[in-house]
Amino acid sequence: QVQLVESGGGLVHSGGSLRLSCVASGSNFRINTMEWYRQAPGYQREWVASITRGGEIKYLDSVKGRFTISRDNAKNTVYLQMNTLKPEDTAVYLCSADWMTPLPEVGRSWGQGTQVTVSS
């Protein structure tokens, strides 16, 4: 099993920036695609960005040009740099990771989420 822990959330004013991190831990695993999602109160979970192990990146249209996803495979960590934040970006941000082991065993893990609040 792989565990994910996010950090970096907080309260910022509109136009501000935050950098989220998500670290994966476990035994003898390889992380493939890593993604960020967000969920605001009363709304369904929304995909935000993804990055494959090889570095292929995709973004939700509403965050293109403002958010940047990156990863450090040696540290099993994915980042989300969020600039020019807007009140509508307010949500709990969660990371996910698709992983596999030599058994082979495959799975998807989720972090517990980190709150991002953008005030107007």
Side-chain angles (χ1 to χ4, degrees), residues 35-80:
E35 298 180 296
W36 286 98
Y37 288 76
R38 64 188 181 187
Q39 187 162 18
Y43 290 83
Q44 290 188 333
R45 186 170 295 182
E46 178 180 52
W47 170 82
V48 175
S50 64
I51 183 168
T52 66
R53 188 171 183 85
E56 181 180 350
I57 291 172
K58 296 180 181 179
Y59 294 104
L60 178 69
D61 283 347
S62 62
V63 308
K64 285 180 180 177
R66 300 188 298 121
F67 291 10
T68 302
I69 189 171
S70 61
R71 65 188 286 173
D72 184 332
N73 290 332
K75 296 181 178 179
N76 290 315
T77 300
V78 64
Y79 306 96
L80 187 67

Side-chain angles (χ1 to χ4, degrees), residues 1-117:
Q1 289 291 331
V2 174
Q3 294 79 43
L4 303 178
V5 178
E6 301 100 334
S7 61
L11 171 64
V12 295
H13 291 298
S14 181
S17 298
L18 284 173
R19 188 191 193 210
L20 307 183
S21 300
C22 173
V23 181
S25 63
S27 298
N28 203 19
F29 64 93
R30 173 189 172 99
I31 299 288
N32 295 318
T33 298
M34 302 187 83
E35 298 180 296
W36 286 98
Y37 288 76
R38 64 188 181 187
Q39 187 162 18
Y43 290 83
Q44 290 188 333
R45 186 170 295 182
E46 178 180 52
W47 170 82
V48 175
S50 64
I51 183 168
T52 66
R53 188 171 183 85
E56 181 180 350
I57 291 172
K58 296 180 181 179
Y59 294 104
L60 178 69
D61 283 347
S62 62
V63 308
K64 285 180 180 177
R66 300 188 298 121
F67 291 10
T68 302
I69 189 171
S70 61
R71 65 188 286 173
D72 184 332
N73 290 332
K75 296 181 178 179
N76 290 315
T77 300
V78 64
Y79 306 96
L80 187 67
Q81 177 67 44
M82 305 187 295
N83 299 327
T84 319
L85 282 161
K86 305 175 181 180
E88 52 263 43
D89 294 318
T90 295
V92 174
Y93 283 71
L94 308 99
C95 69
S96 73
D98 294 327
W99 51 267
M100 64 185 300
T101 71
L103 287 175
E105 179 184 11
V106 296
R108 164 170 279 203
S109 294
W110 291 86
Q112 81 290 346
T114 185
Q115 177 70 46
V116 171
T117 303

